[in-house]
Amino acid sequence: MKVKKYTAPSMNEAMKKVRAELGDDAVILNSKVSYTGGFIGLFKKKVIQVIAAIDPEVENEKLEISRVKTKRASTSVIQPALEKEQKTEHDSNRLVEVELKELKQMISSMKSRDHFEKFSDDVKEVLLHLKKQDVSDSTLFQLGDAMEEKITSESVQAVNKDEWAHKEVKRFFHQYLKEITFGGISYSRKYINVIGPTGVGKTTTLAKMAAEAVIEKRMKIAFITTDTYRIAAIEQLKTYAGLLNVPVEVVYKMEDFKKAIEKFVDYDHVFIDTAGRNFRERKYVEDLQKIIDFDQHMETYLVLSLTSKERDMREIISQFSSIDIDRFIFTKSDETSSYGSMINMISEAKIGAAYVTNGQDVPEDITEVEEDEIVSMLMKGFSYERSSI
């Protein structure tokens, strides 16, 4: 399926372009009037923008005819030619799947644009950008209302529009998240604990946090690990401990944990690594509470991967709700281009974020976060000029 955008001075001219390239079977998906050029908002030219595509039913009929012809022709050729024909058909089908996906995305974008129809164009472009970042609709509508109020009280034309948008989004989220605590380790509690499901990078993240305490803060620290389910995890932590020249204790039960605490009584801070298990198993959280004494003077961080589905993140948070979580740590930001789930989880759970990690290097690939840092990630790449393309 071929989908294309056309621009012309009039609808007739636009339709001529559509028919010339896509034929009479083309259908119009969307059309709108826009203005280009001009000088300081004056002398702009009116143009018609049309999005057109070949009718899916017609396209499928043509593909079916093509398949029948291919099948008939294949009976008269040798096997290598048949394999080549099958590969061509497979490639063709994949191309159709890609184009169908693009069309669905385009239709979704059009629905989103209609979804925010009540807002002015300047506000709408910001909301559509954040919608692509997967920020929740409820948050976006509140942001839209807040930005509309600012448009009426101060002229957007008087300042750089991109700067205005970034400033207003930051202003909104400062207010929206004002009751939530952000920032890294407070160092007000002796024990620093990371929990979370398997595969989110808890051990590497803990090592990055510990490296900051040792290298930058010059603190005397130690490690405790309860991750006895994976030998590799223990060896990984021991490797980091060797590089930082700090001790490690492996604990299997509450009695071991209390002995380790006694052993490290003279240390500034103790960093605790926990096992990563299937977060859907409630027993995992219960087992964790049997090994670690959460009543100790402890800061606890729940580690979530930004590559996870939001539905899974919510289930993870729910499973760990019996433990007092101080802040979230979001990992794998380098493996995704969508960061809206951070704002969604923070606002829903009323729990702030401490760090975002973006790689495996210790201690480099970790950033302490505040509201502005998250907003910068959400607004990265936004400009009115780009959004209008």
Side-chain angles (χ1 to χ4, degrees):
M1 181 178 299
K2 190 171 184 178
V3 179
K4 192 168 180 181
K5 178 179 176 182
Y6 298 88
T7 302
S10 66
M11 180 59 77
N12 286 337
E13 290 296 321
M15 292 304 298
K16 286 179 182 178
K17 289 185 178 182
V18 172
R19 292 193 186 97
E21 187 164 342
L22 300 184
D24 293 331
D25 294 325
V27 294
I28 304 303
L29 299 176
N30 186 49
S31 65
K32 71 174 184 177
V33 177
S34 64
Y35 296 86
T36 61
F39 177 70
I40 60 171
L42 302 174
F43 311 111
K44 292 184 177 180
K45 293 182 179 180
K46 176 181 173 182
V47 295
I48 304 295
Q49 291 183 348
V50 173
I51 297 173
I54 294 177
D55 189 328
E57 293 184 1
V58 174
E59 187 77 349
N60 289 338
E61 287 175 5
K62 292 179 179 179
L63 285 171
E64 186 60 31
I65 293 170
S66 176
R67 291 193 194 100
V68 171
K69 289 181 178 179
T70 300
K71 184 176 180 181
R72 288 174 179 172
S74 66
T75 59
S76 61
V77 296
I78 58 176
Q79 187 64 27
L82 176 61
E83 292 175 356
K84 182 178 179 180
E85 192 70 33
Q86 289 174 337
K87 183 178 183 301
T88 301
E89 184 176 343
H90 174 72
D91 291 343
S92 177
N93 289 340
R94 288 201 62 181
L95 180 60
V96 171
E97 289 176 4
V98 170
E99 291 178 341
L100 278 171
K101 184 178 179 180
E102 290 176 351
L103 179 60
K104 288 178 180 178
Q105 290 174 343
M106 183 176 295
I107 292 173
S108 176
S109 176
M110 292 174 189
K111 288 180 178 178
S112 295
R113 190 171 292 273
D114 292 339
H115 196 48
F116 301 125
E117 195 61 38
K118 74 169 188 171
F119 298 108
S120 62
D121 289 343
D122 288 330
V123 172
K124 190 186 302 181
E125 295 304 329
V126 176
L127 300 183
L128 289 171
H129 171 80
L130 293 175
K131 178 72 174 176
K132 292 178 183 177
Q133 286 286 323
D134 296 324
V135 177
S136 69
D137 283 350
S138 61
T139 301
L140 292 179
F141 274 100
Q142 292 180 64
L143 170 61
D145 289 338
M147 292 184 73
E148 289 291 350
E149 290 180 5
K150 294 299 178 182
I151 286 180
T152 59
S153 63
E154 62 185 60
S155 174
V156 181
Q157 303 298 330
V159 296
N160 180 287
K161 286 175 65 176
D162 290 347
E163 289 181 7
W164 176 84
H166 284 259
K167 182 186 72 174
E168 291 307 322
V169 172
K170 282 187 178 182
R171 191 205 303 264
F172 168 79
F173 280 111
H174 270 293
Q175 182 66 24
Y176 188 63
L177 304 172
K178 67 178 181 179
E179 303 296 331
I180 298 173
T181 303
F182 287 81
I185 302 171
S186 69
Y187 295 107
S188 62
R189 302 176 204 169
K190 180 169 182 175
Y191 302 99
I192 297 159
N193 179 37
V194 295
I195 59 176
T198 185
V200 295
K202 292 189 302 299
T203 303
T204 304
T205 300
L206 188 75
K208 293 173 183 177
M209 296 163 70
E212 179 188 37
V214 172
I215 298 170
E216 296 184 16
K217 306 292 184 181
R218 302 294 181 182
M219 292 178 172
K220 183 181 179 182
I221 73 155
F223 284 127
I224 291 176
T225 179
T226 68
D227 194 354
T228 57
Y229 295 93
R230 296 184 304 124
I231 299 299
I234 297 174
E235 294 305 315
Q236 182 184 14
L237 190 62
K238 285 183 176 179
T239 299
Y240 292 136
L243 293 171
L244 296 173
N245 195 27
V246 300
V248 182
E249 282 294 307
V250 181
V251 304
Y252 296 86
K253 52 186 183 294
M254 182 67 77
E255 184 181 348
D256 298 333
F257 183 78
K258 290 181 177 179
K259 286 180 179 179
I261 285 177
E262 291 175 6
K263 183 175 181 178
F264 298 139
V265 68
D266 294 327
Y267 284 72
D268 296 323
H269 294 281
V270 178
F271 288 76
I272 304 169
D273 190 24
T274 60
R277 303 278 298 279
N278 187 339
F279 66 86
R280 291 186 176 86
E281 294 181 9
R282 183 65 190 170
K283 185 176 180 295
Y284 160 53
V285 180
E286 294 171 354
D287 289 345
L288 195 62
Q289 291 172 307
K290 291 176 183 177
I291 298 174
I292 297 176
D293 184 2
F294 286 94
D295 292 331
Q296 293 291 331
H297 202 224
M298 183 178 297
E299 284 187 27
T300 299
Y301 298 87
L302 177 59
V303 183
L304 300 169
S305 170
L306 287 171
T307 60
S308 300
K309 297 176 182 177
E310 277 199 20
R311 179 177 58 194
D312 291 339
M313 287 188 185
R314 290 188 180 92
E315 192 170 345
I316 291 166
I317 294 169
S318 175
Q319 287 286 50
F320 285 98
S321 60
S322 60
I323 296 172
D324 187 13
I325 299 167
D326 289 276
R327 284 182 291 287
F328 295 134
I329 296 174
F330 293 99
T331 60
K332 304 186 179 181
S333 67
D334 56 318
E335 297 180 24
T336 182
S337 59
S338 175
Y339 308 112
S341 56
M342 285 194 292
I343 287 291
N344 298 341
M345 295 304 102
I346 289 168
S347 60
E348 288 177 21
K350 305 302 179 187
I351 296 173
Y355 299 98
V356 172
T357 71
N358 62 340
Q360 296 296 313
D361 290 346
V362 177
E364 293 87 356
D365 296 337
I366 187 168
T367 303
E368 186 175 338
V369 293
E370 300 288 345
E371 299 100 313
D372 285 356
E373 178 68 24
I374 296 177
V375 172
S376 294
M377 294 172 71
L378 291 173
M379 292 294 286
K380 184 178 180 180
F382 172 81
S383 73
Y384 283 105
E385 181 178 354
R386 185 175 299 176
S387 65
S388 65
I389 297 175

